[in-house]
Coordinates of all heavy atoms in Angstrom, one line a residue:
A22 N 9.4 18.2 -6.6 CA 9.7 19.1 -5.6 C 10.9 18.8 -4.8 O 11.3 17.5 -4.8 CB 8.4 19.2 -4.7
I23 N 11.6 19.6 -4.2 CA 12.6 19.3 -3.3 C 12.1 19.6 -1.9 O 11.6 20.7 -1.6 CB 13.9 20.3 -3.6 CG1 14.3 20.1 -5.0 CG2 14.9 20.0 -2.6 CD1 15.7 20.7 -5.4
I24 N 12.3 18.6 -1.0 CA 11.7 18.8 0.4 C 12.8 18.5 1.4 O 13.8 17.7 1.1 CB 10.5 17.8 0.6 CG1 11.1 16.3 0.5 CG2 9.4 18.1 -0.1 CD1 10.0 15.3 1.1
S25 N 12.8 19.2 2.5 CA 13.9 18.9 3.6 C 13.6 19.8 4.7 O 12.7 20.7 4.7 CB 15.3 19.2 3.0 OG 15.4 20.7 3.2
H26 N 14.2 19.5 5.7 CA 14.3 20.3 7.0 C 15.0 21.6 6.7 O 15.8 21.7 5.8 CB 15.0 19.6 8.2 CG 14.7 20.1 9.5 ND1 13.8 19.8 10.2 CD2 15.5 21.0 10.2 CE1 13.8 20.4 11.4 NE2 14.9 21.1 11.5
P27 N 14.7 22.8 7.3 CA 15.4 24.0 7.1 C 16.9 23.8 7.3 O 17.3 23.0 8.2 CB 14.9 24.9 8.1 CG 13.6 24.4 8.5 CD 13.6 22.9 8.4
D28 N 17.7 24.3 6.6 CA 19.2 24.3 6.6 C 19.8 23.0 6.1 O 21.1 22.8 6.4 CB 19.6 24.6 8.0 CG 19.4 26.1 8.5 OD1 19.2 26.9 7.5 OD2 19.3 26.3 9.6
A29 N 19.1 22.1 5.4 CA 19.7 20.9 5.0 C 20.4 21.2 3.7 O 21.2 20.3 3.2 CB 18.7 19.7 4.8
G30 N 20.1 22.3 3.0 CA 20.9 22.7 1.8 C 20.0 22.6 0.6 O 20.5 22.5 -0.6
K31 N 18.7 22.7 0.8 CA 17.7 22.6 -0.3 C 17.8 23.6 -1.4 O 17.8 23.3 -2.5 CB 16.3 22.6 0.3 CG 15.2 22.6 -0.6 CD 13.9 22.2 0.1 CE 13.7 22.8 1.4 NZ 13.3 24.3 1.2
T32 N 17.9 24.9 -0.9 CA 18.0 26.0 -1.9 C 19.4 26.0 -2.6 O 19.4 26.3 -3.7 CB 17.7 27.4 -1.1 OG1 16.4 27.3 -0.5 CG2 17.6 28.5 -2.1
T33 N 20.4 25.7 -1.9 CA 21.7 25.5 -2.5 C 21.6 24.4 -3.6 O 22.1 24.7 -4.7 CB 22.7 25.2 -1.5 OG1 22.8 26.1 -0.4 CG2 24.2 25.2 -2.1
L34 N 21.0 23.4 -3.3 CA 20.9 22.3 -4.3 C 20.2 22.8 -5.6 O 20.5 22.5 -6.6 CB 20.3 20.9 -3.7 CG 20.1 19.9 -4.7 CD1 21.4 19.3 -5.0 CD2 19.3 18.8 -3.9
T35 N 19.1 23.6 -5.3 CA 18.2 24.1 -6.4 C 19.1 25.0 -7.2 O 19.0 24.8 -8.6 CB 17.1 24.9 -5.8 OG1 16.3 24.1 -4.9 CG2 16.2 25.4 -6.9
F38 N 21.2 22.9 -9.5 CA 20.4 22.3 -10.5 C 20.3 23.2 -11.7 O 20.4 22.9 -12.9 CB 19.0 22.0 -10.1 CG 18.8 20.6 -9.4 CD1 19.9 19.9 -8.9 CD2 17.6 20.0 -9.4 CE1 19.8 18.7 -8.3 CE2 17.4 18.7 -8.7 CZ 18.6 18.1 -8.2
D93 N 10.9 24.5 -5.6 CA 11.7 24.5 -4.4 C 10.6 25.0 -3.3 O 9.9 26.1 -3.4 CB 12.6 25.7 -4.6 CG 13.5 25.9 -3.3 OD1 13.5 25.0 -2.5 OD2 14.0 27.0 -3.0
T94 N 10.4 24.2 -2.3 CA 9.4 24.4 -1.2 C 10.1 25.0 0.0 O 11.2 24.7 0.3 CB 8.7 23.1 -0.9 OG1 9.7 22.2 -0.3 CG2 8.1 22.5 -2.0
A114 N 9.5 13.5 -5.5 CA 10.0 14.4 -4.6 C 11.5 14.1 -4.5 O 11.9 12.8 -4.4 CB 9.4 14.5 -3.2
V115 N 12.4 15.1 -4.2 CA 13.8 14.9 -4.0 C 13.9 15.2 -2.5 O 13.6 16.4 -2.1 CB 14.7 15.6 -4.8 CG1 16.2 15.6 -4.3 CG2 14.6 15.2 -6.3
M116 N 14.3 14.3 -1.7 CA 14.4 14.5 -0.2 C 15.9 14.8 0.1 O 16.7 14.0 -0.2 CB 13.9 13.4 0.6 CG 14.1 13.5 2.2 SD 13.1 12.2 3.0 CE 14.2 10.7 2.6
V117 N 16.1 16.0 0.7 CA 17.6 16.3 1.1 C 17.7 16.2 2.5 O 16.9 16.8 3.3 CB 17.8 17.8 0.6 CG1 19.2 18.1 0.9 CG2 17.5 18.0 -0.8
I118 N 18.7 15.4 3.0 CA 19.0 15.4 4.4 C 20.5 15.6 4.6 O 21.3 15.6 3.7 CB 18.7 13.9 4.9 CG1 19.6 12.8 4.1 CG2 17.2 13.6 4.8 CD1 19.4 11.5 4.8
D119 N 20.7 16.1 5.8 CA 22.1 16.6 6.2 C 22.9 15.5 6.7 O 22.3 14.6 7.6 CB 21.8 17.6 7.3 CG 23.1 18.2 7.9 OD1 24.1 17.5 7.9 OD2 23.2 19.5 8.1
G120 N 24.1 15.3 6.2 CA 24.8 14.0 6.5 C 25.2 13.9 8.1 O 25.4 12.8 8.6
G123 N 21.0 13.7 9.9 CA 20.1 12.6 9.4 C 18.7 13.1 9.3 O 18.5 14.3 8.8
V124 N 17.7 12.3 9.6 CA 16.3 12.7 9.3 C 15.7 13.5 10.4 O 15.8 13.0 11.6 CB 15.4 11.4 9.3 CG1 14.0 11.7 9.1 CG2 15.9 10.4 8.2
E125 N 15.5 14.7 10.1 CA 14.9 15.7 11.1 C 13.5 15.9 11.0 O 12.8 15.2 10.2 CB 15.7 17.0 10.9 CG 17.1 17.0 11.1 CD 17.8 18.4 10.6 OE1 17.9 19.2 11.5 OE2 18.2 18.4 9.5
Q127 N 11.0 18.0 10.4 CA 10.3 18.5 9.2 C 10.3 17.6 8.1 O 9.4 17.5 7.4 CB 10.8 19.9 8.9 CG 9.9 20.6 7.9 CD 8.4 20.8 8.2 OE1 8.0 20.8 9.4 NE2 7.6 21.2 7.3
T128 N 11.5 17.0 7.9 CA 11.7 16.1 6.9 C 10.7 14.8 7.0 O 10.0 14.4 6.1 CB 13.0 15.4 6.9 OG1 14.0 16.5 7.1 CG2 13.4 14.7 5.6
Q129 N 10.5 14.5 8.3 CA 9.6 13.4 8.5 C 8.2 13.8 8.2 O 7.4 13.0 7.5 CB 9.7 13.0 10.0 CG 9.1 11.6 10.4 CD 9.9 11.0 11.4 OE1 11.0 11.5 11.9 NE2 9.5 9.8 11.9
L131 N 7.0 16.1 6.1 CA 6.9 16.2 4.6 C 6.9 14.9 3.9 O 6.1 14.6 3.0 CB 8.0 17.0 4.1 CG 7.9 18.6 4.6 CD1 9.2 19.3 4.1 CD2 6.7 19.3 3.9
I142 N 10.2 8.8 -4.3 CA 11.1 9.7 -3.6 C 12.6 9.4 -3.9 O 13.0 8.1 -3.8 CB 10.9 9.7 -2.0 CG1 9.6 10.3 -1.7 CG2 12.1 10.3 -1.2 CD1 9.3 10.4 -0.3
L143 N 13.4 10.4 -4.3 CA 14.8 10.2 -4.5 C 15.5 10.9 -3.4 O 15.1 12.1 -3.1 CB 15.3 10.6 -5.8 CG 14.6 10.0 -7.1 CD1 13.4 10.8 -7.6 CD2 15.5 9.8 -8.2
T144 N 16.5 10.4 -2.8 CA 17.1 11.0 -1.6 C 18.6 11.5 -2.0 O 19.3 10.8 -2.7 CB 17.3 10.0 -0.4 OG1 15.9 9.5 -0.2 CG2 17.8 10.7 0.8
F145 N 18.9 12.7 -1.4 CA 20.3 13.2 -1.6 C 20.8 13.6 -0.3 O 20.2 14.4 0.5 CB 20.2 14.6 -2.4 CG 21.6 15.2 -2.7 CD1 22.5 14.4 -3.4 CD2 21.9 16.3 -2.0 CE1 23.8 15.0 -3.8 CE2 23.3 16.9 -2.2 CZ 24.1 16.2 -3.1
C146 N 21.9 12.9 0.2 CA 22.5 13.2 1.5 C 23.6 14.1 1.3 O 24.6 14.0 0.7 CB 23.2 11.8 2.1 SG 23.7 12.0 3.8
N147 N 23.3 15.3 1.8 CA 24.2 16.5 1.6 C 25.3 16.7 2.7 O 25.2 16.2 3.7 CB 23.3 17.8 1.5 CG 23.9 18.9 0.9 OD1 24.9 18.9 0.2 ND2 23.3 20.2 1.1
K148 N 26.1 17.6 2.4 CA 27.1 18.1 3.5 C 28.1 17.1 3.8 O 28.5 16.9 5.0 CB 26.5 18.8 4.7 CG 25.5 19.9 4.2 CD 25.0 20.6 5.5 CE 24.1 21.8 5.0 NZ 23.6 22.5 6.3
I163 N 17.1 6.2 7.9 CA 16.0 6.6 6.9 C 15.1 5.4 6.9 O 13.8 5.6 6.8 CB 16.6 6.8 5.5 CG1 17.4 8.1 5.4 CG2 15.5 7.0 4.4 CD1 18.3 8.3 4.2
L167 N 11.4 6.3 8.3 CA 10.4 6.6 7.3 C 9.7 5.3 6.7 O 9.0 5.4 5.8 CB 11.1 7.4 6.1 CG 11.8 8.7 6.6 CD1 12.5 9.4 5.4 CD2 10.8 9.7 7.3
S257 N 13.7 4.1 -2.2 CA 14.3 5.3 -2.5 C 15.8 5.2 -2.8 O 16.5 4.7 -1.9 CB 14.0 6.3 -1.4 OG 14.7 7.5 -1.6
I259 N 19.6 6.5 -2.9 CA 20.2 7.6 -2.2 C 21.6 7.9 -2.8 O 22.4 7.0 -3.2 CB 20.4 7.3 -0.7 CG1 21.1 8.6 0.0 CG2 21.3 6.1 -0.4 CD1 21.0 8.4 1.6
W260 N 21.8 9.3 -3.2 CA 23.1 9.8 -3.6 C 23.7 10.5 -2.5 O 23.0 11.3 -1.7 CB 22.8 10.7 -4.9 CG 22.6 9.9 -6.1 CD1 23.5 9.6 -7.2 CD2 21.3 9.5 -6.6 NE1 22.7 9.0 -8.1 CE2 21.4 8.9 -7.8 CE3 19.9 9.6 -6.1 CZ2 20.4 8.4 -8.6 CZ3 18.9 8.9 -6.8 CH2 19.2 8.3 -8.0
G262 N 26.7 13.6 -1.4 CA 27.4 14.6 -2.1 C 27.6 15.8 -1.2 O 27.2 15.9 -0.1
A264 N 26.4 19.8 -2.0 CA 25.7 20.7 -3.0 C 26.5 22.0 -3.1 O 26.7 22.6 -4.3 CB 24.3 21.1 -2.6
L273 N 22.7 13.0 -9.3 CA 21.3 13.0 -8.8 C 20.4 13.4 -10.0 O 19.4 12.8 -10.2 CB 21.2 14.0 -7.7 CG 19.8 14.3 -7.2 CD1 19.1 12.9 -6.6 CD2 19.8 15.4 -6.1

Side-chain angles (χ1 to χ4, degrees):
I23 300 190
I24 61 169
S25 82
H26 194 83
D28 294 335
K31 174 161 50 70
T32 301
T33 307
L34 181 64
T35 303
F38 274 23
D93 176 26
T94 61
V115 171
M116 177 169 72
V117 184
I118 59 173
D119 183 323
V124 178
E125 296 173 87
Q127 185 62 13
T128 317
Q129 197 145 356
L131 294 169
I142 291 181
L143 300 96
T144 306
F145 183 70
C146 185
N147 194 17
K148 305 189 182 181
I163 297 171
L167 306 180
S257 177
I259 183 168
W260 283 263
L273 172 64

